[in-house]
Amino acid sequence: MRNQLDFNKMFHDYFGRASAKVSYKVRHDSNCFHDFVFLSGLVHDARFRRKDVVLRGKRLIVPLVRDCWERGVTDNSGTRQMYAAQSRLTIEPVTRIQWSFIDNMPFGLEDTLQVYGIWLARQAITLGDYTPLILSGFTWECTVNVYETDMVIQLQDLEMPKPHS
């Protein structure tokens, strides 16, 4: 039996080889669901406040502070160090946003939410031309309806990753 692909190695090799800003866009072709796996890894443990989330027309902008897992936790000097970067997650075209919280106890708009992952809810019934996209944490979930055929989902670092403070 051949060895299975090592997605962890692929993730670190592709994104973490050089110190650089990440710019990652989900593709519409057969790579779409693979791209969501990598995107979910890039935004895992990112933090944001709901008050900073902006809907401009049909474009949703989520400003994040992203832990840069792709860089690993050890720098060249052998010191264990986590890196972080100010980033922006853009999702469009959006038709609806719905927040839900465990026990229906919403966090305040000022509270920081931590991201667990992001994915397309393919098992859900697509309504018209849109598909639910789920951005979630352990105690919250944000369902964003996007038009799948025109969907643009992009993560863009706004600065070079730097040691987490």
Side-chain angles (χ1 to χ4, degrees), residues 3-17 24 27 30-42 69-72:
N3 289 336
Q4 287 185 262
L5 289 173
D6 183 345
F7 283 97
N8 188 43
K9 182 175 177 0
M10 288 173 57
F11 181 77
H12 289 282
D13 285 353
Y14 182 80
F15 293 109
R17 245 181 236 259
Y24 193 69
R27 297 168 285 186
S30 60
N31 293 297
C32 180
F33 289 101
H34 297 96
D35 287 352
F36 266 100
V37 171
F38 285 111
L39 178 62
S40 194
L42 289 167
W69 289 105
E70 71 278 6
R71 296 199 44 142

Side-chain angles (χ1 to χ4, degrees), residues 101-113:
F101 300 88
I102 287 181
D103 297 329
N104 293 322
M105 294 178 60
F107 289 85
L109 292 176
E110 295 279 339
D111 292 333
T112 299
L113 299 177

Side-chain angles (χ1 to χ4, degrees), residues 5-103:
L5 289 173
D6 183 345
F7 283 97
N8 188 43
K9 182 175 177 0
M10 288 173 57
F11 181 77
H12 289 282
D13 285 353
Y14 182 80
F15 293 109
R17 245 181 236 259
S19 181
K21 296 178 190 176
V22 166
S23 179
Y24 193 69
K25 189 174 184 179
V26 174
R27 297 168 285 186
H28 288 274
D29 59 15
S30 60
N31 293 297
C32 180
F33 289 101
H34 297 96
D35 287 352
F36 266 100
V37 171
F38 285 111
L39 178 62
S40 194
L42 289 167
V43 299
H44 180 72
D45 288 338
R47 295 155 308 282
F48 69 97
R49 295 180 301 182
R50 280 194 309 152
K51 78 172 201 146
D52 298 329
V53 174
V54 176
L55 182 62
R56 289 194 181 117
K58 293 185 182 227
R59 177 181 292 163
L60 182 67
I61 301 167
V62 183
L64 303 166
V65 176
R66 185 179 77 77
D67 286 341
C68 301
W69 289 105
E70 71 278 6
R71 296 199 44 142
V73 292
T74 306
D75 66 16
N76 292 336
S77 68
T79 304
R80 293 189 59 79
Q81 183 80 266
M82 174 59 78
Y83 285 78
Q86 294 286 333
S87 304
R88 175 178 49 230
L89 179 65
T90 305
I91 304 166
E92 63 181 313
V94 171
T95 63
R96 181 174 179 232
I97 302 167
Q98 180 179 347
W99 294 91
S100 58
F101 300 88
I102 287 181
D103 297 329

